[in-house]
Amino acid sequence: MKLLIIGPQGSGKGTQAEILSEKLRIPHISTGDIFRSLQGPLKKKVDEIINKGNLVPDELTLEILKNRLEKEDCKKGFILDGFPRNLNQARLLKKITKIDKVIEITLDDKTAIKRITGRRLCKKCKINYNIFTEPKPKNPEICDECGGKLVRRKDDTENAVKKRLEIYKKETLPVLKEYDNILTINGNQSIKEMTEEIINNLELKTD
Ligand code: ADP
Ligand code: ZN
């Protein structure tokens, strides 16, 4: 099963992709995660772009994605999160692979901004929290699980989020016109409710 998950910042698409990846035993491929884990000389250049809320150039993004999709674990399928992010990327993706289903998650800007600015990540064990919504840490600065320091992504500032949401509407939403197999899910529900709705609607077999 080759799935695409599309939604604005804060819609919970990364969370849903992670859950589905475990349930379906197919890899969760997030271009944002790949960019954040880069090392070496490329890292500085990419970080600069990302931290301002801008898109990484298409050529570099596609090259990185292509390398990832060629790995053995993608043979059975994958969940793509964060790609394609514009029409050019969608057209390039069509040349590489077919997509079975697109999951679109919707969310209003106000909720999106609140969720994103409340997002925290444990520096040590990488668990995600949110100081306004669930999963809420007991102490807003410390990880419940390991005691590590909770940090904010550099692109989760209000300015960068507004820029990212603007780009989402202008460049990413038009991508949906390229697909006719779209399942639309309301992002203003709990994580569990969203997962259930996705699973039920896709009639996915899970254990
Ligand atoms: P979010 O969906 O909340 O913006 P991501 O982790 O998906 O978070 O992406 C973080 C950043 O990585 C984006 O703002 C962008 O700069 C870069 N990025 C991710 N995917 C792409 C892509 N397909 N094309 C260009 N840039 C990308
Ligand atoms: Zn932790």
Side-chain angles (χ1 to χ4, degrees):
M1 168 88 54
K2 293 173 178 171
L3 298 173
L4 262 187
I5 190 154
I6 295 186
Q9 287 66 28
S11 60
K13 72 183 158 64
T15 304
Q16 292 302 324
E18 202 52 50
I19 295 171
L20 290 172
S21 157
E22 267 181 39
K23 286 190 186 286
L24 302 171
R25 298 173 205 275
I26 49 178
H28 166 206
I29 300 173
S30 153
T31 40
D33 283 350
I34 296 175
F35 287 138
R36 279 184 290 276
S37 68
L38 285 178
Q39 302 286 332
L42 201 55
K43 182 173 176 57
K44 202 169 160 247
K45 189 181 146 204
V46 167
D47 273 357
E48 241 168 66
I49 300 171
I50 291 185
N51 293 346
K52 287 200 192 110
N54 288 315
L55 292 187
V56 175
D58 287 351
E59 281 152 57
L60 175 61
T61 306
L62 189 78
E63 192 191 315
I64 283 178
L65 181 81
K66 242 179 160 168
N67 283 335
R68 180 65 190 86
L69 291 182
E70 276 165 12
K71 298 238 165 80
E72 189 60 33
D73 64 341
C74 291
K75 293 256 157 67
K76 280 193 306 180
F78 48 78
I79 302 164
L80 211 45
D81 160 13
F83 191 100
R85 243 174 160 99
N86 59 34
L87 275 176
N88 186 40
Q89 291 184 4
R91 285 170 191 151
L92 293 170
L93 180 66
K94 271 192 186 162
K95 292 188 189 162
I96 317 178
T97 185
K98 177 178 127 311
I99 295 298
D100 298 310
K101 271 278 179 191
V102 177
I103 302 165
E104 180 204 11
I105 307 184
T106 57
L107 193 67
D108 61 283
D109 282 5
K110 203 173 152 230
T111 314
I113 292 169
K114 185 162 183 203
R115 283 193 191 164
I116 289 288
T117 51
R119 184 153 76 174
R120 298 292 182 275
L121 173 78
C122 173
K123 215 175 163 178
K124 224 161 113 189
C125 75
K126 310 289 174 200
I127 293 181
N128 276 303
Y129 292 95
N130 200 300
I131 59 166
F132 302 130
T133 60
E134 290 306 317
K136 202 187 263 190
K138 289 196 191 88
N139 177 322
E141 284 166 19
I142 296 166
C143 176
D144 290 355
E145 297 297 323
C146 79
K149 192 169 182 258
L150 298 186
V151 294
R152 209 168 151 168
R153 250 165 65 175
K154 289 229 174 66
D155 60 345
D156 280 352
T157 57
E158 190 153 339
N159 274 343
V161 172
K162 284 188 175 151
K163 169 81 110 349
R164 282 152 68 205
L165 285 169
E166 207 179 289
I167 295 177
Y168 178 76
K169 283 189 205 121
K170 224 168 98 195
E171 300 196 34
T172 309
L173 271 179
V175 162
L176 290 171
K177 283 187 291 209
E178 297 287 308
Y179 300 94
D180 49 20
N181 43 356
I182 303 171
L183 167 67
T184 301
I185 302 284
N186 175 6
N188 219 331
Q189 310 182 68
S190 72
I191 293 171
K192 197 160 167 265
E193 283 167 337
M194 283 165 69
T195 308
E196 277 170 10
E197 200 177 325
I198 294 170
I199 300 275
N200 290 339
N201 279 285
L202 292 184
E203 292 173 358
L204 298 173
K205 282 200 201 82
T206 63
D207 29 68

